[in-house]
């Protein structure tokens, strides 16, 4: 199977080689089929594709009292309720799976088993990003990723090649989504970026930079060049994209004062300040997520939206004017983690109505009890 795909890719490569400075090595072509042993993620026969995003689950709070474990029981109930009624094609866990500050060295990643249990039971493919609470004295992103890969057969979470992502930021990768499982090329790429944050092991006293590392910018340029060479340019092939990163890009902070509750509906209860967006925990880090943000918007074509969690009191979507790209917050899903009166817990649903990237996406917030709100269509006219 790998050999067949490689030779198909090599054939099409000849046609597009002129556009590249150097030929793409065979090994890189194989890397364009990153899941040879897993089912392909595909659109439904009717051309739709539904993603449900769980964010900020914050498992493992206060294991020493009754309150903490009850929050995880509530979060697991929410996951099972939502999965059975929404029946998504793919699930994203968009960071802060675990409140790492409260974990113990000897069993911290066993919380991953609890988190993925509802997904394993429902046999729904999924993948994760990781957040600032997932890097703490007794836990790290890489430990959570390895555990998830081991205990969840339908986990599509991967790690970036070595040297990409910076220390404590290994969770950067992409997943191809095909219109039909037999297609040669994907029609949608889901991108996942590791915005790091939190603290280094083992003492947990050194802060980890809270932005997507510079090395990811070059990786985005390289990966999109490989995709274009093997599959044809995204624009010509109608290949769409959607990106997930736990901490919102810094530029989102500047937009909050311009929100209009008609165009940008949803809870807007978290005022963005220090620590709310990338590269803001420490004033000296201002601008450090720019290389990532520039590369994402320059090289990833047909990017429908960028989706983040982290700020539990926000649910809105908005168009970011400098890059002309749509940004959306998730919905705080976990019963752990900070909350406010009336915020509730739920998910963001995202529905592609067609594999054609010129068609917009429908997205809305769904609360555990089934209430829906903040429904918008993300298309060229969305503001
Ligand atoms: C990390 O785990 C060890 C061993 O269980 C525990 O003694 C320690 O308090 C934990 N550290 C933190 C910061 O929670
Ligand atoms: C981890 O171990 C601690 C201390 O022994 C215990 O209180 C806690 O419930 C355990 N957590 C998990 C997730 O197994
Ligand atoms: C992509 O489309 C553009 C505009 O239609 C065209 O000029 C270009 O030759 C196409 N490239 C390939 C590789 O098909
Ligand atoms: C908010 O957006 C709506 C819909 O686009 C528009 O009609 C309204 O004028 C806007 N309000 C403000 C204060 O800009």
């Amino acid at each position: 199977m790998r050999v067949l795909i490689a030779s198909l890719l090599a054939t099409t490569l000849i046609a597009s080689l002129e556009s590249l400075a150097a030929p793409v090595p065979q090994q890189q072509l194989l890397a364009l089929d990153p899941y040879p042993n897993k089912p392909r993620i595909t659109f439904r026969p009717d051309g739709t594709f539904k993603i449900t995003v769980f964010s900020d689950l914050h498992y493992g709070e206060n294991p020493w009292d009754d309150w903490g474990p009850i929050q995880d029981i509530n979060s697991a109930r929410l996951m099972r309720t939502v999965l059975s009624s929404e029946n998504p094609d793919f699930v994203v866990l968009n960071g802060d799976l675990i409140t790492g500050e409260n974990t113990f060295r000897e069993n911290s990643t066993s919380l991953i088993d609890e988190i993925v249990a509802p997904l394993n039971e429902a046999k729904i493919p999924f993948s994760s990003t990781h957040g600032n609470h997932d890097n703490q004295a007794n836990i790290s992103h890489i430990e959570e990723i390895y555990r998830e890969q081991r205990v969840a057969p339908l986990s599509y979470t991967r790690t970036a090649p070595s040297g990409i992502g910076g220390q404590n930021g290994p969770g950067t990768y992409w997943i191809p989504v095909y219109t039909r499982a037999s297609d040669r090329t994907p029609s949608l790429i889901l991108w996942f970026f590791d915005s790091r944050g939190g603290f280094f092991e083992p003492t947990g006293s050194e802060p980890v930079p809270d932005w997507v590392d510079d090395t990811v910018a070059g990786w985005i340029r390289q990966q999109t060049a490989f995709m274009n060479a093997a599959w044809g340019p995204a624009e010509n092939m109608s290949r769409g994209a959607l990106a997930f990163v736990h901490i919102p890009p810094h530029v989102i902070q500047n937009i909050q004062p311009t929100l209009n509750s008609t165009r940008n509906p949803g809870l807007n209860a978290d005022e963005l300040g220090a620590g709310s967006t990338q590269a803001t925990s420490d004033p000296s880090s201002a601008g450090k997520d720019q290389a990532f943000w520039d590369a994402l918007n320059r090289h990833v074509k047909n990017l429908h939206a960028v989706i983040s969690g982290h700020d539990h009191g926000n649910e809105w979507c908005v168009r970011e004017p400098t890059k002309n790209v749509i940004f959306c917050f998730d919905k705080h899903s976990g019963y752990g983690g900070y909350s406010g009166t009336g915020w509730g817990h739920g998910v963001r649903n995202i529905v592609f109505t067609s594999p054609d990237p010129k068609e917009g996406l429908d997205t809305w917030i769904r609360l555990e009890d089934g209430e829906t709100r903040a429904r918008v269509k993300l298309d060229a006219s969305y503001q």
Side-chain angles (χ1 to χ4, degrees):
M1 186 64 179
R2 289 180 78 118
V3 173
L4 176 65
I5 287 161
S7 69
L8 277 173
L9 291 175
T11 312
T12 45
L13 189 64
I14 294 162
S16 42
L17 265 183
E18 296 96 298
S19 60
L20 271 186
V24 179
Q26 194 72 3
Q27 207 181 343
Q28 296 296 348
L29 290 176
L30 289 172
L32 288 173
D33 183 26
Y35 302 97
N37 303 316
K38 288 194 195 275
R40 281 186 161 189
I41 310 296
T42 60
F43 282 73
R44 295 184 192 187
D46 68 0
T48 64
F49 181 66
K50 181 176 188 178
I51 300 176
T52 294
V53 188
F54 294 92
S55 193
D56 299 84
L57 284 161
H58 282 278
Y59 271 61
E61 297 209 332
N62 295 23
W64 43 79
D65 63 25
D66 288 342
W67 182 87
I70 289 170
Q71 306 320 304
D72 295 348
I73 290 168
N74 291 339
S75 299
R77 182 195 61 230
L78 178 147
M79 286 185 77
R80 289 190 171 93
T81 302
V82 168
L83 289 174
S84 71
S85 69
E86 297 293 337
N87 193 25
D89 300 301
F90 194 81
V91 160
V92 175
L93 306 179
N94 206 10
D96 283 355
L97 280 64
I98 292 174
T99 298
E101 293 91 324
N102 295 174
T103 58
F104 298 88
R105 171 42 49 218
E106 62 274 17
N107 64 6
S108 58
T109 60
S110 62
L111 290 159
I112 292 291
D113 304 27
E114 292 180 39
I115 294 169
V116 304
L119 295 159
N120 285 347
E121 286 160 23
K123 297 191 167 55
I124 296 178
F126 73 99
S127 80
S128 306
T129 69
H130 296 87
N132 45 305
H133 292 278
D134 298 303
N135 270 333
Q136 295 291 334
N138 282 332
I139 200 158
S140 64
H141 292 190
I142 195 71
E143 289 177 284
E144 290 192 27
I145 291 171
Y146 286 159
R147 183 76 179 202
E148 181 186 304
Q149 289 175 335
R150 190 149 69 80
V151 301
L154 287 178
S155 160
Y156 285 69
T157 305
R158 291 192 286 141
T159 50
S162 93
I164 305 297
Q167 198 175 359
N168 282 53
T172 282
Y173 57 97
W174 52 266
I175 300 176
V177 180
Y178 298 83
T179 302
R180 288 166 299 266
S182 58
D183 286 353
R184 194 184 68 76
T185 63
S187 46
L188 170 67
I189 305 292
L190 305 176
W191 293 85
F192 299 87
F193 299 102
D194 194 326
S195 51
R196 305 185 289 168
F199 293 88
F200 285 116
E201 298 174 88
T203 61
S205 54
E206 253 330 274
V208 176
D210 59 341
W211 61 88
V212 179
D213 190 64
D214 279 13
T215 52
V216 172
W219 176 85
I220 293 171
R221 178 164 36 78
Q222 178 215 52
Q223 295 294 300
T224 51
F226 290 158
M227 291 174 186
N228 294 342
W231 298 332
E235 302 93 319
N236 297 55
M237 301 302 293
S238 284
R239 189 163 67 244
L242 184 64
F244 296 88
V245 60
H246 177 70
I247 307 179
H250 176 62
V251 68
I252 299 312
Q253 192 151 330
N254 309 333
I255 304 182
Q256 193 172 36
T258 72
L259 295 178
N260 168 333
S261 60
T262 309
R263 291 193 306 244
N264 319 111
L267 190 65
N268 179 29
D270 241 341
E271 194 181 337
L272 302 179
S276 311
T277 57
Q278 289 185 42
T280 57
S281 286
D282 172 353
S284 71
S285 63
K288 297 272 196 183
D289 69 332
Q290 199 65 40
F292 153 69
W293 188 237
D294 288 346
L296 175 66
N297 286 287
R298 174 154 182 221
H299 299 295
V300 176
K301 304 299 182 190
N302 300 327
L303 180 59
H304 285 284
V306 177
I307 318 279
S308 296
H310 190 62
D311 301 299
H312 301 178
N314 290 341
E315 297 172 358
W316 37 269
C317 296
V318 70
R319 185 175 289 277
E320 196 287 301
T322 63
K323 301 291 190 192
N324 193 28
V325 65
I326 296 170
F327 169 86
C328 291
F329 274 109
D330 298 323
K331 176 63 192 169
H332 180 206
S333 308
Y335 278 77
Y338 75 95
S339 191
T341 309
W343 290 8
H345 299 92
V347 295
R348 174 171 291 288
N349 283 316
I350 301 166
V351 175
F352 290 75
T353 53
S354 158
D356 181 347
K358 288 186 285 300
E359 298 291 325
L361 313 182
D362 293 320
T363 187
W364 68 96
I365 301 297
R366 180 227 145 101
L367 301 181
E368 182 178 7
D369 67 4
E371 180 193 334
T372 62
R373 62 190 185 205
R375 186 181 285 268
V376 284
K377 184 156 195 88
L378 306 180
D379 60 13
S381 68
Y382 183 70
Q383 295 186 304

